[in-house]
């Protein structure tokens, strides 16, 4: 093992990105001060069996129809690398994964395929990209004499500072053997998404799914519930709670038995329904959310320069308010901006409650607008990109989280056009309908006969109730750290190695970071100080969900971590700390995956 030890816990997009940038820096030729690579060990720890894809892009968690939510040109660990990777691997992808190419380019002659910057490829394809880039980064590290140790099917369950370094306790997930790796100089917590255990009464009922992933588990839970009701006369009904990207994934998972037909130029023409296993016919899917509308459709941004809600205006407001912003003032400016952009037709109140008679109608209009640029989406996206959340007054953050994020997210994080076309085809085929739940609807309950009862609103705003045989929760993640299910997070919190971020009494969700970077804050007696060892980015950190949940932000953070870690290596090499055997002899690569 080298004298300087880095450890990456969690090798999804964040961990892979950090590894890639770290290895590039450590092995870059012509550096003014090169670190002694044979003195370096990189350790990776991953619960899963594959490094790279993490949660959203793992083949167990996706179905062919589940697309990346962003254009290929914005989904890379650096530069335009996802496109470059597809181009480099074109023949292999056509040979071994033709279905992943055809999903995005239906009906093309495969030999003519050119990876397209503006297209939305299946998440499974992005997972293959991350897996390969992870492996290549390790190989590059090895070729430069860096020691590499991969722990797969291992979960980090505890961690503590010990003297000058950090120790992690790992559990092998098949044998349950536990052991500690010590002497770590730097540790990245890139542990990503988590699923808070659903605690409400419906969660214990047959036919309830707390998440749309993995799709295989969703389908078998629905099939089991349907088989338990042999005498039914109506199509089984599944309620999907949430109409964001994961709600759409849930809908597409449930429609997988049927088939979409395409026009000659690759647009969805119709949906041919097919029987769901054990149901004797197709399912009927009801999607619902508080507002009852899907997000707009991703397309080119409309040409529009912000006039009222500008960086300068926000800076001036902060100067007047001790560095903080007030949400009411921002919404006022946003309202003016929307009205200016749309000639007075649309204001903020219309974003909160879109003035469309049905979800179908809004989707159709949004799809049409997406070809030329949707002004409302453009303005709200530009507002969100100003990253005002982190400088809101604490009590306004609470208001934003409870009441407003849903509208910003829904409007500023649009869906690929292909998904919109599919949703319209499903509605036209009578397979999908949409309900509005309202903002103060009672939670769904379960009847004595096992059916879910969902309170919602009719088109004219009257309270109604629908019944469903199954229910899939596809609503937002809870970021409260005290509800984080992982032993690692709970132990780090207990030991004060990480602390929940809190402002003016409001616990925002996520862990606290030192200002200006990605160093984790830890408790030291009665105060909090930057950890000497731990860094983190992605879902576990404060505000990430409100401001930075897009690939470019991961790259920016990974580069920060890689720069900081490189500096440690350079300092160590310059100080000539004791190193293992001189020279760049054969390195160690070990893979722990005992099953
Ligand atoms: C369904 C879904 C779809 C998305 N689609 C997009 C998209 O199209 N475009 C986009 O830009 N963003 C998308 N996102 C946002 C997403 O946050 C990022 O793209 C990215 O995948 C997050 O990567 P991550 O590494 O932080 O987390 P994850 O992908 O969750 O990876 C974390 C990894 O850490 C491992 N791990 C966790 N705890 C431990 C432990 N204690 N010990 C060992 N290993 C551990 C997990 O097994 C996992 O592999 C999507 C998010 C979701 C949930």
């Amino acid at each position: 093992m080298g004298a300087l030890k880095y450890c990456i816990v969690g090798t999804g997009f964040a961990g892979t990105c950090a590894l890639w940038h770290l290895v590039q820096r450590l092995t870059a030729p012509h550096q003014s001060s090169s670190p002694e690579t044979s003195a370096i060990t990189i350790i990776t720890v991953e619960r899963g069996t594959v490094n790279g894809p993490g949660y959203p892009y793992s083949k167990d968690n996706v179905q062919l129809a589940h697309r990346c939510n962003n254009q290929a040109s914005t989904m890379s660990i650096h530069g335009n690398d996802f496109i470059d990777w597809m181009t480099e691997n074109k023949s292999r992808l056509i040979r071994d994964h033709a279905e992943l190419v055809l999903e995005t380019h239906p009906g093309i002659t495969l030999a003519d395929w050119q990876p397209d910057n503006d297209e939305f490829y299946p998440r499974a394809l992005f997972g293959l990209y991350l897996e390969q880039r992870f492996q290549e980064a390790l190989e590059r590290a090895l070729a430069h004499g860096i020691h590499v140790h991969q722990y797969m099917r291992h979960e980090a369950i505890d961690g503590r500072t010990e003297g000058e370094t950090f120790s992690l306790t790992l559990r092998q997930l098949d044998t349950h053997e536990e052991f500690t790796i010590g002497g770590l100089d730097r540790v990245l917590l890139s542990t990503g998404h988590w699923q808070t255990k659903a605690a409400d009464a419906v969660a214990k009922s047959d036919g309830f799914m707390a998440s749309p992933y993995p799709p295989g588990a969703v389908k078998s839970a629905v099939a089991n519930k349907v088989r338990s009701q042999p005498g039914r006369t109506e199509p089984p009904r599944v309620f999907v709670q949430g109409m964001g990207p994961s709600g759409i994934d849930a809908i597409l998972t449930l429609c997988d038995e049927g088939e979409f037909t395409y026009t000659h130029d690759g647009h969805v023409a119709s949906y041919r329904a097919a029987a769901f296993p054990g149901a004797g016919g197709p399912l009927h899917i009801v999607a619902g959310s508080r507002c009852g509308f899907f997000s707009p459709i991703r397309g080119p941004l409309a040409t529009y320069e912000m006039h009222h809600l500008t960086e300068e205006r926000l800076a001036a407001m902060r100067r007047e308010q001790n560095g903080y912003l007030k949400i009411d003032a921002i919404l006022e400016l946003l309202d003016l901006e929307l009205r200016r952009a749309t000639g007075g037709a649309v204001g903020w109140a219309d974003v909160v409650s879109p003035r469309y008679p049905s979800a179908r109608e809004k989707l159709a209009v949004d799809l049409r607008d997406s070809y030329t640029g949707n002004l409302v989406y453009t303005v709200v996206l530009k507002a969100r990109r100003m990253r005002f959340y982190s400088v809101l007054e604490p009590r306004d953050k609470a208001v934003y989280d409870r009441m407003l994020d849903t509208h910003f997210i829904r409007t500023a994080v649009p869906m690929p056009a292909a998904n919109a076309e599919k949703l319209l085809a499903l509605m036209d085929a009578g397979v999908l309908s949409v309900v509005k739940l309202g903002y103060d609807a009672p939670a769904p309950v379960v009847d004595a006969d096992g059916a879910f009862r969902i309170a919602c609103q009719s088109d004219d705003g009257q309270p109604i109730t629908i019944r469903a045989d199954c229910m899939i929760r596809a609503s937002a993640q809870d970021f409260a750290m005290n509800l984080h299910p992982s032993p690692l997070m709970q132990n780090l919190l207990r030991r004060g190695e990480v602390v929940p971020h809190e402002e003016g009494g409001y616990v925002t969700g996520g862990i606290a970071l030192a200002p200006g970077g990605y160093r984790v804050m830890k408790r030291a007696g009665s105060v909090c100080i930057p950890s000497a060892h731990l860094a983190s980015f992605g879902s576990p950190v404060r505000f990430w969900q409100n401001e930075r949940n897009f690939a470019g932000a991961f790259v920016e953070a990974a580069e920060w971590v890689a720069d900081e870690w490189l500096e440690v290596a350079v300092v160590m090499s310059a100080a000539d700390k004791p190193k293992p055997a001189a020279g760049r002899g054969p390195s160690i690569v070990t893979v722990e995956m005992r099953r």
Side-chain angles (χ1 to χ4, degrees):
M1 287 261 181
L4 178 63
K5 288 192 209 164
Y6 302 119
C7 181
I8 295 175
V9 182
T11 57
F13 184 51
T16 301
C17 209
L19 176 76
W20 190 91
H21 286 279
L22 175 66
V23 171
Q24 284 304 115
R25 281 158 176 69
L26 292 173
T27 59
H30 320 303
Q31 256 183 183
S32 50
S33 43
S34 300
E36 177 50 65
T37 46
S38 66
I40 295 171
T41 299
I42 300 177
I43 297 163
T44 61
V45 184
E46 170 54 50
R47 266 198 308 232
T49 51
V50 180
N51 290 309
Y55 179 81
Y57 313 109
S58 127
K59 66 178 183 323
D60 295 334
N61 267 350
V62 292
Q63 201 154 284
L64 184 56
H66 295 176
R67 301 279 192 102
C68 287
N69 214 33
N70 296 81
Q71 292 92 332
S73 60
T74 64
M75 296 276 305
S76 294
I77 55 174
H78 69 102
N80 201 13
D81 190 50
F82 181 35
I83 287 282
D84 294 345
W85 172 82
M86 286 192 275
T87 308
E88 277 161 35
N89 290 279
K90 192 172 143 177
S91 314
R92 179 175 68 84
L93 293 173
I94 289 174
R95 189 188 64 227
D96 299 340
H97 301 285
E99 74 290 356
L100 297 178
V101 176
L102 289 170
E103 177 62 21
T104 303
H105 304 280
I108 61 158
T109 305
L110 281 167
D112 297 340
W113 172 47
Q114 296 299 335
D116 185 339
N117 278 329
D118 296 326
E119 269 299 355
F120 300 81
Y121 287 94
R123 290 216 294 277
L125 186 62
F126 193 68
L128 292 176
Y129 157 70
L130 290 175
E131 186 180 346
Q132 187 173 330
R133 288 300 191 237
F134 182 96
Q135 199 50 41
E136 287 167 358
L138 284 193
E139 281 160 18
R140 183 178 168 112
L142 279 172
H144 284 79
I146 296 170
H147 304 253
V148 173
H149 199 120
Q150 299 173 65
Y151 290 95
M152 280 186 272
R153 289 291 294 155
H154 282 71
E155 179 175 13
I157 55 169
D158 197 358
R160 70 197 70 99
T161 305
E162 280 183 340
E164 295 291 292
T165 58
F166 200 82
S167 291
L168 275 177
T169 303
L170 308 191
R171 179 187 293 146
Q172 209 292 335
L173 291 172
D174 302 302
T175 62
H176 306 293
E177 180 197 348
E178 289 181 14
F179 57 97
T180 297
I181 49 174
L184 304 172
D185 295 280
R186 289 290 187 275
V187 177
L188 175 67
L189 300 174
S190 41
T191 52
H193 299 280
W194 68 90
Q195 190 72 51
T196 310
K197 247 199 160 91
D200 45 352
V202 292
K204 298 193 188 80
S205 312
D206 282 348
F208 175 84
M209 287 138 276
S211 153
Y213 314 104
V218 165
K219 286 172 78 173
S220 67
V222 173
N224 288 342
K225 181 75 187 269
V226 168
R227 284 196 193 97
S228 72
Q229 307 166 314
R232 64 165 37 266
T233 50
E234 291 179 351
R237 182 181 280 172
V238 182
F239 174 61
V240 176
Q241 185 184 35
M243 293 168 62
S246 51
I248 296 172
D249 283 352
I251 295 166
L252 295 175
T253 295
L254 296 170
C255 297
D256 185 43
E257 313 300 327
E259 199 189 349
F260 290 97
T261 63
Y262 290 86
T263 59
H264 68 279
D265 55 349
H267 292 283
V268 175
S270 67
Y271 176 72
R272 285 197 205 115
F276 191 81
L283 301 174
H284 178 221
I285 302 161
V286 181
S289 69
R290 289 183 291 176
C291 75
F293 292 104
F294 291 105
S295 68
I297 287 85
R298 214 174 270 278
L301 288 188
T303 313
Y304 183 75
E305 275 306 314
M306 300 289 263
H307 178 80
H308 298 286
L309 184 58
T310 59
E311 298 284 3
E312 297 72 37
R313 195 71 168 260
L314 293 187
M317 282 159 58
R318 283 186 69 188
R319 279 196 296 277
E320 285 161 19
Q321 290 156 26
N322 303 324
Y324 283 114
L325 288 175
K326 289 190 194 303
I327 191 64
D328 285 349
I330 293 175
L331 294 182
E332 225 167 88
L333 292 174
L334 183 52
D335 185 60
L336 284 174
E337 200 69 78
L338 285 164
R339 291 192 186 284
R340 180 174 183 270
T342 60
V346 175
W348 175 247
D350 304 299
V351 172
V352 172
S353 295
R355 272 189 271 154
Y356 289 90
S358 70
R360 194 199 180 289
E361 194 155 322
K362 176 170 184 296
L363 200 56
V365 171
D366 284 343
L367 184 59
R368 191 197 60 208
D369 286 357
S370 72
Y371 299 122
T372 48
N374 178 326
L375 270 168
V376 175
Y377 149 54
T378 301
V379 170
V380 176
L381 179 67
K382 285 189 171 198
R384 194 169 188 265
R385 280 185 181 166
M386 289 178 183
R387 297 186 186 175
F388 58 79
Y389 177 87
S390 54
V391 286
L392 288 179
E393 283 189 349
R395 66 168 176 271
D396 280 11
K397 284 195 173 88
V399 171
Y400 181 93
D401 288 346
R402 210 174 51 248
M403 309 289 295
L404 299 169
D405 186 49
T406 176
H407 306 304
F408 277 94
I409 279 267
R410 186 183 68 249
T411 314
V413 182
M415 69 172 97
N419 283 356
E421 291 181 356
K422 285 181 177 174
L423 293 172
L424 287 169
L426 290 169
M427 290 187 207
D428 292 344
V431 171
L432 173 67
S433 52
V434 171
V435 293
K436 174 180 179 171
L437 303 179
Y439 288 85
D440 45 13
V445 292
V446 183
D447 278 345
D449 63 356
F452 296 87
R453 229 165 358 105
I454 299 113
C456 42
Q457 294 176 7
S458 64
D459 287 345
D460 57 1
Q462 297 306 310
I464 53 169
T465 302
I466 58 160
R467 284 166 60 89
D469 303 283
C470 299
M471 170 170 165
I472 303 173
R473 190 161 282 164
S475 38
Q477 180 176 339
D478 189 330
F479 289 94
M481 293 313 289
N482 60 330
L483 299 178
H484 199 297
S486 110
L488 175 66
M489 264 318 159
Q490 290 312 326
N491 283 325
L492 293 175
L493 285 165
R494 179 175 55 82
R495 292 180 189 284
E497 297 287 355
V498 302
V499 290
H501 185 73
E502 187 254 305
E503 282 179 32
Y506 176 53
V507 182
T508 56
I511 57 176
L513 296 185
Y518 298 90
R519 195 75 80 82
V520 159
M521 293 298 279
K522 65 173 286 185
R523 203 171 300 288
S526 58
V527 294
C528 290
I529 57 168
S531 165
H533 311 293
L534 297 185
S536 187
F537 61 90
S539 299
V541 313
R542 66 182 174 140
F543 310 154
W544 194 271
Q545 69 278 11
N546 299 102
E547 294 188 336
R548 311 177 70 89
N549 60 345
F550 54 97
F554 284 81
V555 176
E556 200 180 295
E559 292 195 288
W560 187 95
V561 170
D563 284 337
E564 206 263 339
W565 287 15
L566 170 68
E567 212 176 298
V568 184
V570 170
V571 169
M572 183 201 74
S573 298
D576 204 20
K577 262 175 73 172
K579 298 182 187 84
R584 299 194 172 201
S587 312
I588 307 165
V589 63
T590 49
V591 180
E592 294 279 338
M593 224 175 118
R594 279 163 280 157
R595 309 208 66 186

